Amino acid sequence: MKAFPAWLQATPMGLVFLVFFLMPLLLVGAVSFWPQNEYTLEPGFTLSNYTMLFDGCFSGGEAGELCTTAKTYLSTLKFCFLVWAITLVLGFTLAYFVAFHVPSVGAQTVLFTVMTIPFWTSNVIRMISWIPLLGRNGWVNTTLMDLGLIRQPIEWLLYSDFSVVLAFVHLNTTFMMVPIFNSMMKIDRSLLEAANDCGASGWQTLWNVIVPLCRTGILIGSIFVITLVMGDFVTVGVMGGQQIASVGKTIQVQTSYLQFPLAAANAVVLLGVVLLIIVALNRLVDLRKEL
């Protein structure tokens, strides 16, 4: 029986991609140019939403201060970089241990399952679970005071940049670990033996053999983490006590006040920033060739 042409086999997935991904993006882009109206959405074309979004960003502001949008994006990028760096170290370490120091496939499966158990519950529940631990009268402060290590509760443990980064790392480490673990499992173990026979140390083998062969997993995990952190607003709102700004939180607030064109313009800019980051990462590793 003659197989269907490749383009025909890809048609169903292409239609799903068109209806559920491309069309919503085009709609958001179109709404970003509509005039702002407090009561209804009226189709039209105006650049006022983008002008309002970047108001004061190019005039220098007072005493050279950054505009609100620039501050918000810098705050989001700060969280993004910190979370990416921490999850990369944690995810790589966990994946390395499971892939190379657990000899049994069954034990690897058990450990991998245990590490993914927290993802069986809601993100909000996992975030809320930190509040009794990090609060002013939480378990951490109480324990430290009982041990005499501190005299008064540590205020920055909760509703701070620290708690936001901690929650992000907790929620996203697995998204970094899984692709890296998948890449490590594909590495030919004879390459490690060859490096050892050539006199390479453990660190030399890790840096010159394992890391280059895991760059596809590192890139995929980085894309997952970056896109999730850049657009997140729930984690920043809950763990930041509604006091820390982020782009996702700004869009959520604009939407709640029915400022849909302005929120759409902000979403388009956010999408552009994320795409630029992904393009920059792809310049380091050609994902198409690696896959």
Side-chain angles (χ1 to χ4, degrees):
M1 182 177 178
K2 188 177 180 180
F4 291 106
W7 65 268
L8 187 59
Q9 297 180 34
T11 298
M13 184 57 67
L15 292 175
V16 172
F17 179 82
L18 175 66
V19 174
F20 294 101
F21 182 77
L22 188 58
M23 289 182 63
L25 284 181
L26 293 175
L27 181 60
V28 170
V31 172
S32 69
F33 292 102
W34 288 7
Q36 183 68 41
N37 191 300
E38 297 181 359
Y39 304 103
T40 61
L41 284 175
E42 297 179 357
F45 182 84
T46 179
L47 295 176
S48 61
N49 298 314
Y50 292 93
T51 304
M52 188 184 305
L53 191 63
F54 293 103
D55 184 29
C57 292
F58 304 104
S59 61
E62 297 181 1
E65 291 186 359
L66 295 173
C67 65
T68 302
T69 299
K71 291 179 180 178
T72 304
Y73 272 86
L74 286 177
S75 174
T76 305
L77 289 172
K78 175 189 68 176
F79 288 130
C80 186
F81 175 77
L82 290 174
V83 174
W84 170 79
I86 297 172
T87 54
L88 177 59
V89 173
L90 289 177
F92 190 93
T93 303
L94 292 171
Y96 179 84
F97 173 77
V98 176
F100 295 107
H101 291 280
V102 179
S104 170
V105 177
Q108 288 179 344
T109 303
V110 172
L111 284 176
F112 201 80
T113 303
V114 169
M115 286 187 288
T116 57
I117 284 178
F119 285 79
W120 298 357
T121 59
S122 168
N123 285 0
V124 177
I125 294 176
R126 282 184 286 158
M127 281 186 288
I128 293 176
S129 66
W130 285 105
I131 296 178
L133 295 176
L134 304 177
R136 179 179 176 84
N137 298 316
W139 181 83
V140 174
N141 275 319
T142 302
T143 302
L144 292 176
M145 293 179 67
D146 291 342
L147 294 175
L149 299 178
I150 58 175
R151 294 184 177 179
Q152 57 185 3
I154 301 175
E155 300 289 346
W156 53 262
L157 288 179
L158 188 62
Y159 304 141
S160 62
D161 290 357
F162 170 79
S163 60
V164 172
V165 172
L166 179 63
F168 271 136
V169 171
H170 176 209
L171 297 175
N172 296 308
T173 298
T174 299
F175 291 105
M176 180 69 78
M177 181 190 68
V178 172
I180 295 176
F181 175 78
N182 185 53
S183 295
M184 286 182 177
M185 293 303 294
K186 296 179 181 179
I187 296 177
D188 189 350
R189 278 12 183 206
S190 62
L191 296 175
L192 307 183
E193 296 177 1
N196 185 51
D197 293 339
C198 291
S201 64
W203 284 107
Q204 289 175 325
T205 302
L206 175 66
W207 185 253
N208 297 304
V209 179
I210 297 177
V211 171
L213 294 176
C214 290
R215 56 187 179 182
T216 302
I218 293 174
L219 175 60
I220 295 174
S222 299
I223 292 175
F224 282 155
V225 172
I226 289 171
T227 53
L228 289 171
V229 173
M230 287 293 289
D232 187 282
F233 63 90
V234 177
T235 304
V236 176
V238 173
M239 301 304 296
Q242 310 297 335
Q243 302 173 12
I244 297 177
S246 72
V247 182
K249 184 63 179 176
T250 302
I251 295 174
Q252 185 265 331
V253 171
Q254 291 168 343
T255 303
S256 66
Y257 283 97
L258 305 181
Q259 298 176 334
F260 296 113
L262 187 60
N266 214 344
V268 170
V269 175
L270 174 61
L271 177 61
V273 172
V274 173
L275 288 178
L276 286 176
I277 296 174
I278 294 176
V279 169
L281 291 174
N282 274 286
R283 294 294 296 270
L284 299 175
V285 180
D286 193 337
L287 188 58
R288 292 174 298 179
K289 290 183 179 179
E290 294 294 334
L291 294 176

